Amino acid sequence: MHYLDDSLLPENQENLVIQVAPYGPEFLPGDSDDIPVTMDEQVQKAVDCYNAGAQVLHVHVREADGFGSKRLELFNEMLGRLREAVPEMILQVGGSISFAPPEDGDKAKWLDYDTRHLLADLDPKPDQVTIAINTSQMNVMELLSDDDIEGTSLQNPVLYKAYRDMVLEAGPDFYIEHLRRLTTAGIQPHFMLGHVHQLETVERLIRRGIYTGPLILNYVAIGGGAAGTHPADLMEFIRRTPDGAVLTIETIMRNVTPMCTIAMAMGQHVRVGIEDNLWGRKGERRTSVQQIEQMVRIAGELGREVATCKEAREIYKFDEVYTDTDDALAKIGFPPNRKPGQLGFLHHA
């Protein structure tokens, strides 16, 4: 992104969009008193987050036993209720979901990719589904300290090892077809990118006409296969992100407050919630609602306005349609593709 002399002045920045991930599927109910379990509790948590100032709701669903659900019908129920309870919020379903067949005997009919592609068949459809690009390790334990996981199920050696050794499978066979299905269904892909080389792959997808929609993305600084928390890496990702993209900064545990503060000052957007962070000050728990409220306060101190849900939808470009590759490159802010015989560096139109 290109910064002019006045780009750090809050009156010249987009209003702040706050994503919240309040469902924390990696945690179990005993890990925090802020984990909603029943459907009523999960819907109420969305209402509370909306009232606190969030515009984007990152959706996961729990079963009655407290574990994350893999049932398509339960996600459909949740989305239907959320549409009624928080009709203005942008509903963003986590793309890591792999749905399970309704009957054990159906397992042989369900291929791994098919269960993930069912995210495009959700009804009512969400506004967005998150999508990873390129297979990588997702060792979410790498940046966590003993203090971070104290009193949680992640102290269980079996669970610790499972999250330490987790691999996010997102190769071309998956993401090319998944992008096609999401866009055909009218669902906006929200790219979750862990470093600039994944951003380069997305640029190639756009240059080759495989994806020609708005570029809405998160910088995912969770370590262990994605970016860490070095500010220089964050600044390089911001620098490499084209001007027409929308960028949200996401990180883990007590890094959330400083990284999101940097993001706000730089004119970018933020993500909070117990899926990423359980803590405020060292040793003090902070709920998803309290994390939203903190972002609103920091934005106020910086002089940056917080977006309404209507403004967030405009910032996320839901109504924009790019006609072809050239149009997408121009509107997203990439230089055009090289034409035959064209020499030298290419300029934006």
Side-chain angles (χ1 to χ4, degrees):
M1 291 183 170
H2 189 83
Y3 284 83
L4 304 176
D5 290 342
D6 60 0
S7 293
L8 296 183
L9 301 179
E11 64 268 23
N12 295 323
Q13 296 175 340
E14 290 178 325
N15 288 357
L16 177 69
V17 177
I18 302 173
Q19 286 180 37
V20 62
Y23 299 117
E26 74 274 32
F27 296 113
L28 297 177
D31 294 342
S32 166
D33 58 7
D34 191 40
I35 294 178
V37 175
T38 69
M39 184 64 70
D40 286 346
E41 290 170 344
Q42 292 175 87
V43 172
Q44 184 59 50
K45 183 63 63 179
V47 173
D48 295 342
C49 290
Y50 168 76
N51 289 335
Q55 305 84 32
V56 183
L57 182 71
H58 185 73
V59 178
H60 290 276
V61 182
R62 286 187 191 270
E63 295 282 353
D65 61 6
F67 286 89
S69 178
K70 292 187 175 183
R71 288 196 291 152
L72 181 68
E73 64 270 23
L74 204 60
F75 273 77
N76 288 339
E77 179 184 350
M78 176 80 153
L79 289 169
R81 292 191 58 176
L82 290 172
R83 285 295 184 205
E84 294 182 359
V86 285
E88 296 181 351
M89 288 191 89
I90 296 168
L91 301 184
Q92 175 195 94
V93 174
S96 61
I97 298 300
S98 180
F99 292 109
E103 303 294 340
D104 284 344
D106 293 335
K107 285 184 178 178
K109 303 175 186 177
W110 287 54
L111 301 176
D112 290 343
Y113 287 167
D114 288 342
T115 64
R116 297 168 72 185
H117 291 323
L118 283 174
L119 286 160
D121 297 332
L122 288 165
D123 183 21
K125 67 182 179 182
D127 298 292
Q128 296 181 319
V129 166
T130 64
I131 182 169
I133 299 294
N134 294 334
T135 298
S136 63
Q137 186 163 345
M138 193 176 177
N139 174 9
V140 298
M141 307 308 299
E142 188 172 275
L143 284 179
L144 302 189
S145 68
D146 291 341
D147 290 339
D148 289 329
I149 64 173
E150 183 178 358
T152 76
S153 58
L154 294 182
Q155 288 183 303
N156 180 323
V158 175
L159 292 177
Y160 184 100
K161 184 178 186 302
Y163 280 103
R164 184 199 67 187
D165 296 343
M166 185 164 53
V167 173
L168 179 62
E169 204 288 323
D173 276 351
F174 167 71
Y175 63 67
I176 290 174
E177 175 64 14
H178 204 56
L179 284 170
R180 186 191 69 79
R181 294 196 189 197
L182 290 177
T183 53
T184 298
I187 298 170
Q188 186 182 74
H190 193 120
F191 294 90
M192 310 297 273
L193 306 182
H195 46 71
V196 294
H197 308 300
Q198 293 173 347
L199 178 60
E200 288 173 343
T201 295
V202 175
E203 179 179 350
R204 293 182 190 112
L205 292 173
I206 296 167
R207 291 195 176 280
R208 294 167 184 171
I210 295 171
Y211 177 72
T212 56
L215 183 55
I216 315 298
L217 52 90
N218 275 25
Y219 174 73
V220 184
I222 60 173
T229 57
H230 199 300
D233 293 334
L234 169 61
M235 296 307 300
E236 176 62 9
F237 194 93
I238 292 174
R239 189 183 73 83
R240 295 282 293 274
T241 298
D243 295 329
V246 180
L247 176 59
T248 294
I249 307 307
E250 170 186 348
T251 185
I252 197 164
M253 292 302 184
R254 290 195 299 126
N255 298 297
V256 168
T257 297
M259 290 282 278
C260 285
T261 301
I262 295 170
M264 273 192 255
M266 297 298 296
Q268 310 305 324
H269 306 283
V270 300
R271 167 169 149 156
V272 297
I274 63 162
E275 182 171 333
D276 303 331
N277 177 36
L278 297 175
W279 304 100
R281 296 178 185 272
K282 186 175 175 63
E284 296 179 0
R285 292 292 182 92
R286 182 170 288 162
T287 67
S288 293
V289 166
Q290 290 170 334
Q291 292 178 49
I292 297 166
E293 292 170 341
Q294 182 193 42
M295 293 298 108
V296 172
R297 288 196 302 272
I298 294 173
E301 288 298 319
L302 291 173
R304 188 167 172 195
E305 295 292 329
V306 176
T308 65
C309 287
K310 181 177 183 296
E311 290 169 338
R313 289 183 177 275
E314 294 170 354
I315 290 168
Y316 271 38
K317 308 176 191 295
F318 282 111
D319 293 332
E320 292 197 16
V321 177
Y322 303 157
T323 56
D324 54 25
T325 299
D326 291 338
D327 189 38
L329 289 170
K331 289 179 177 174
I332 292 170
F334 287 121
N337 281 330
R338 189 180 302 279
K339 293 180 172 58
Q342 192 172 11
L343 304 178
F345 293 100
L346 304 182
H347 300 277
H348 297 280

